[in-house]
Amino acid sequence: MPKILVVEDDGDLSYLYGTVLTRHGYSVESARRGADALLHLTNEPFDLIILDIGMPDMSGLRVLEFVREDARLKQIPVVVASANEQNERLARTRGAQHFLVKPVKLQKLVALVEHLLGPEPERHT
């Protein structure tokens, strides 16, 4: 089962993303702070990262830089989500493959995850 790390400081969004992706058969871990994301990434394998840019303790861009600089992590696809469309250029220059504008349409998120990781492993409704 593909494993996804959702890095989002908004607890409601983190829960929503996690619930939807879990229902589509993905294993989801959540981090509400950049430092927590780094801890997860250094201790667990992930197949995909969904990353918010604006977090209180550390910018998601810094987390993205960490991922791209680490030989063990740099191959993991990263989807950046931000309410500020102008962050797309910054995210892409730091190695993000995909950028979603908040509010993220859940169907679009699921379709992108399926595109990156393959079709739903098994559906739980």
Side-chain angles (χ1 to χ4, degrees):
M1 173 181 306
K3 191 170 181 181
I4 301 169
L5 177 62
V6 173
V7 185
E8 171 62 63
D9 65 317
D10 182 314
D12 292 336
L13 282 179
S14 180
Y15 177 79
L16 184 61
Y17 296 166
T19 299
V20 168
L21 293 169
T22 299
R23 285 187 180 159
H24 281 81
Y26 299 99
S27 173
V28 178
E29 293 288 328
S30 296
R32 302 265 310 267
R33 300 176 331 121
D36 294 336
L38 299 182
L39 188 62
H40 278 291
L41 289 164
T42 56
N43 291 309
E44 303 172 58
F46 290 95
D47 300 295
L48 176 69
I49 302 166
I50 298 172
L51 180 63
D52 179 26
I53 287 182
M55 293 182 288
D57 69 323
M58 176 187 301
S59 166
L61 294 174
R62 180 61 198 120
V63 174
L64 181 56
E65 289 169 352
F66 175 85
V67 169
R68 292 300 171 240
E69 292 168 0
D70 188 300
R72 296 174 303 119
L73 305 174
K74 66 181 179 181
Q75 80 288 347
I76 300 172
V78 177
V79 176
V80 170
S82 175
N84 185 346
E85 290 181 51
Q86 295 182 356
N87 284 329
E88 181 172 4
R89 186 184 62 76
L90 294 171
R92 288 191 183 274
T93 60
R94 287 170 174 80
Q97 287 87 349
H98 299 278
F99 186 89
L100 297 173
V101 177
K102 291 180 181 180
V104 173
K105 294 188 182 327
L106 296 177
Q107 300 90 335
K108 187 173 185 175
L109 176 65
V110 170
L112 181 56
V113 168
E114 289 175 353
H115 170 75
L116 293 169
L117 298 179
E120 342 177 324
E122 69 182 71
R123 179 167 243 169
H124 300 281
T125 55

